[in-house]
PDB file of all heavy atoms in Angstrom:
ATOM      1  N   SER A  39     139.185   1.612 170.292  1.00 84.00           N
ATOM      2  CA  SER A  39     138.717   1.904 171.666  1.00 84.00           C
ATOM      3  C   SER A  39     139.786   2.645 172.466  1.00 84.00           C
ATOM      4  O   SER A  39     140.957   2.680 172.042  1.00 84.00           O
ATOM      5  CB  SER A  39     138.350   0.623 172.424  1.00 84.00           C
ATOM      6  OG  SER A  39     139.545  -0.148 172.628  1.00 84.00           O
ATOM      7  N   LYS A  40     139.407   3.177 173.573  1.00 87.00           N
ATOM      8  CA  LYS A  40     140.363   3.826 174.472  1.00 87.00           C
ATOM      9  C   LYS A  40     141.359   2.771 174.986  1.00 87.00           C
ATOM     10  O   LYS A  40     142.564   3.021 175.119  1.00 87.00           O
ATOM     11  CB  LYS A  40     139.634   4.449 175.655  1.00 87.00           C
ATOM     12  CG  LYS A  40     140.532   5.198 176.571  1.00 87.00           C
ATOM     13  CD  LYS A  40     139.817   5.848 177.727  1.00 87.00           C
ATOM     14  CE  LYS A  40     140.832   6.495 178.678  1.00 87.00           C
ATOM     15  NZ  LYS A  40     140.211   6.916 179.897  1.00 87.00           N
ATOM     16  N   ARG A  41     140.874   1.545 175.177  1.00 86.00           N
ATOM     17  CA  ARG A  41     141.749   0.459 175.606  1.00 86.00           C
ATOM     18  C   ARG A  41     142.851   0.161 174.604  1.00 86.00           C
ATOM     19  O   ARG A  41     144.008  -0.102 174.915  1.00 86.00           O
ATOM     20  CB  ARG A  41     140.894  -0.818 175.827  1.00 86.00           C
ATOM     21  CG  ARG A  41     141.102  -1.413 177.188  1.00 86.00           C
ATOM     22  CD  ARG A  41     140.128  -2.533 177.435  1.00 86.00           C
ATOM     23  NE  ARG A  41     140.707  -3.752 176.960  1.00 86.00           N
ATOM     24  CZ  ARG A  41     140.095  -4.669 176.245  1.00 86.00           C
ATOM     25  NH1 ARG A  41     138.853  -4.522 175.913  1.00 86.00           N
ATOM     26  NH2 ARG A  41     140.704  -5.779 175.874  1.00 86.00           N
ATOM     27  N   TRP A  42     142.511   0.222 173.313  1.00 86.00           N
ATOM     28  CA  TRP A  42     143.460  -0.026 172.246  1.00 86.00           C
ATOM     29  C   TRP A  42     144.540   1.070 172.289  1.00 86.00           C
ATOM     30  O   TRP A  42     145.745   0.816 172.187  1.00 86.00           O
ATOM     31  CB  TRP A  42     142.806  -0.073 170.890  1.00 86.00           C
ATOM     32  CG  TRP A  42     143.765  -0.048 169.763  1.00 86.00           C
ATOM     33  CD1 TRP A  42     143.955   0.958 168.863  1.00 86.00           C
ATOM     34  CD2 TRP A  42     144.723  -1.034 169.412  1.00 86.00           C
ATOM     35  NE1 TRP A  42     144.965   0.629 167.957  1.00 86.00           N
ATOM     36  CE2 TRP A  42     145.472  -0.600 168.262  1.00 86.00           C
ATOM     37  CE3 TRP A  42     145.045  -2.280 169.944  1.00 86.00           C
ATOM     38  CZ2 TRP A  42     146.476  -1.326 167.681  1.00 86.00           C
ATOM     39  CZ3 TRP A  42     146.064  -3.037 169.330  1.00 86.00           C
ATOM     40  CH2 TRP A  42     146.737  -2.546 168.215  1.00 86.00           C
ATOM     41  N   LEU A  43     144.113   2.336 172.416  1.00 90.00           N
ATOM     42  CA  LEU A  43     145.042   3.464 172.469  1.00 90.00           C
ATOM     43  C   LEU A  43     146.019   3.264 173.651  1.00 90.00           C
ATOM     44  O   LEU A  43     147.231   3.508 173.520  1.00 90.00           O
ATOM     45  CB  LEU A  43     144.325   4.777 172.624  1.00 90.00           C
ATOM     46  CG  LEU A  43     143.405   5.180 171.459  1.00 90.00           C
ATOM     47  CD1 LEU A  43     142.687   6.505 171.756  1.00 90.00           C
ATOM     48  CD2 LEU A  43     144.168   5.288 170.161  1.00 90.00           C
ATOM     49  N   GLU A  44     145.493   2.867 174.786  1.00 90.00           N
ATOM     50  CA  GLU A  44     146.322   2.654 175.988  1.00 90.00           C
ATOM     51  C   GLU A  44     147.289   1.523 175.778  1.00 90.00           C
ATOM     52  O   GLU A  44     148.468   1.607 176.176  1.00 90.00           O
ATOM     53  CB  GLU A  44     145.451   2.402 177.212  1.00 90.00           C
ATOM     54  CG  GLU A  44     144.639   3.596 177.635  1.00 90.00           C
ATOM     55  CD  GLU A  44     143.526   3.274 178.615  1.00 90.00           C
ATOM     56  OE1 GLU A  44     143.270   2.076 178.893  1.00 90.00           O
ATOM     57  OE2 GLU A  44     142.952   4.229 179.147  1.00 90.00           O
ATOM     58  N   CYS A  45     146.840   0.460 175.121  1.00 89.00           N
ATOM     59  CA  CYS A  45     147.727  -0.681 174.848  1.00 89.00           C
ATOM     60  C   CYS A  45     148.863  -0.306 173.916  1.00 89.00           C
ATOM     61  O   CYS A  45     150.033  -0.646 174.199  1.00 89.00           O
ATOM     62  CB  CYS A  45     146.877  -1.830 174.230  1.00 89.00           C
ATOM     63  SG  CYS A  45     147.806  -3.323 173.897  1.00 89.00           S
ATOM     64  N   VAL A  46     148.582   0.397 172.893  1.00 90.00           N
ATOM     65  CA  VAL A  46     149.628   0.858 171.936  1.00 90.00           C
ATOM     66  C   VAL A  46     150.583   1.839 172.612  1.00 90.00           C
ATOM     67  O   VAL A  46     151.785   1.675 172.500  1.00 90.00           O
ATOM     68  CB  VAL A  46     148.999   1.473 170.641  1.00 90.00           C
ATOM     69  CG1 VAL A  46     150.076   2.111 169.779  1.00 90.00           C
ATOM     70  CG2 VAL A  46     148.215   0.432 169.872  1.00 90.00           C
ATOM     71  N   ALA A  47     150.026   2.780 173.345  1.00 91.00           N
ATOM     72  CA  ALA A  47     150.855   3.783 174.010  1.00 91.00           C
ATOM     73  C   ALA A  47     151.797   3.171 175.024  1.00 91.00           C
ATOM     74  O   ALA A  47     152.916   3.652 175.243  1.00 91.00           O
ATOM     75  CB  ALA A  47     150.010   4.861 174.677  1.00 91.00           C
ATOM     76  N   ALA A  48     151.383   2.069 175.617  1.00 90.00           N
ATOM     77  CA  ALA A  48     152.225   1.401 176.655  1.00 90.00           C
ATOM     78  C   ALA A  48     153.300   0.517 176.036  1.00 90.00           C
ATOM     79  O   ALA A  48     154.222   0.107 176.769  1.00 90.00           O
ATOM     80  CB  ALA A  48     151.338   0.585 177.601  1.00 90.00           C
ATOM     81  N   ALA A  49     153.163   0.168 174.777  1.00 90.00           N
ATOM     82  CA  ALA A  49     154.122  -0.729 174.139  1.00 90.00           C
ATOM     83  C   ALA A  49     155.430   0.012 173.884  1.00 90.00           C
ATOM     84  O   ALA A  49     155.454   1.154 173.418  1.00 90.00           O
ATOM     85  CB  ALA A  49     153.562  -1.276 172.842  1.00 90.00           C
ATOM     86  N   GLU A  50     156.516  -0.648 174.186  1.00 90.00           N
ATOM     87  CA  GLU A  50     157.831  -0.037 174.026  1.00 90.00           C
ATOM     88  C   GLU A  50     158.075   0.397 172.584  1.00 90.00           C
ATOM     89  O   GLU A  50     157.885  -0.363 171.636  1.00 90.00           O
ATOM     90  CB  GLU A  50     158.920  -1.011 174.438  1.00 90.00           C
ATOM     91  CG  GLU A  50     160.328  -0.423 174.385  1.00 90.00           C
ATOM     92  CD  GLU A  50     161.404  -1.412 174.799  1.00 90.00           C
ATOM     93  OE1 GLU A  50     161.088  -2.468 175.382  1.00 90.00           O
ATOM     94  OE2 GLU A  50     162.586  -1.102 174.560  1.00 90.00           O
TER      95      GLU A  50
END
Side-chain angles (χ1 to χ4, degrees):
S39 67
K40 183 179 177 191
R41 233 172 90 225
W42 169 249
L43 297 177
E44 292 166 352
C45 182
V46 171
E50 184 179 347

